[in-house]
Amino acid sequence: QVQLVESGGGLVQPGGSLRLSCAASGTIFTINVMGWYRRAPGKERELVATVTNGGSTNYADSVKGRFTISRDNAKNTVYLQMNGLKPEDTAVYYCNVYYRLVSWWGQGTQVTVSS
């Protein structure tokens, strides 16, 4: 079983930065994929970024150049550094891990970008 604990969400002004963290715990060996998704008000959930165990990353076009995903395998933790935040980045952000053919989700953390 996998449990995810997220932190780092909050309210920031446009152009500001936030760093999201998600720590996975449980009977874990190696997590195949760790990533972040988000759901903006009135919109469907979308992929933000993923990182594989081998370090390969993938980003949504809307966040390329602004967001950076990374992972600490020793801590089973994934991070999302968000710079140059825009109002359209406002959403609930969900941590996700793919482990042993199962996707596990965090509870979601609110990110609000507003003056």
Side-chain angles (χ1 to χ4, degrees), residues 3 7 9 11-13 17 27 37 44 59 67-68 70 72-73 78 87 98 102 106:
Q3 298 81 42
S7 63
L11 173 65
V12 297
Q13 295 183 330
S17 298
T27 55
Y37 293 72
E44 298 295 318
Y59 296 92
F67 291 9
T68 302
S70 62
D72 185 334
N73 290 330
V78 62
Y98 186 67
V102 177

Side-chain angles (χ1 to χ4, degrees), residues 68-114:
T68 302
I69 189 171
S70 62
R71 62 189 288 173
D72 185 334
N73 290 330
K75 298 180 179 180
N76 282 324
T77 299
V78 62
Y79 306 93
L80 186 68
Q81 179 66 47
M82 304 184 294
N83 299 324
L85 285 162
K86 304 175 180 179
E88 52 263 43
D89 294 318
T90 296
V92 178
Y93 284 70
Y94 297 90
C95 177
N96 171 260
V97 302
Y98 186 67
Y99 177 62
R100 296 198 296 183
L101 306 181
V102 177
S103 284
W104 302 83
W105 294 89
Q107 77 284 357
T109 183
Q110 178 69 48
V111 172
T112 302
V113 185
S114 176

Side-chain angles (χ1 to χ4, degrees), residues 10-25:
L11 173 65
V12 297
Q13 295 183 330
S17 298
L18 284 174
R19 191 192 195 206
L20 305 183
S21 299
C22 175
S25 62

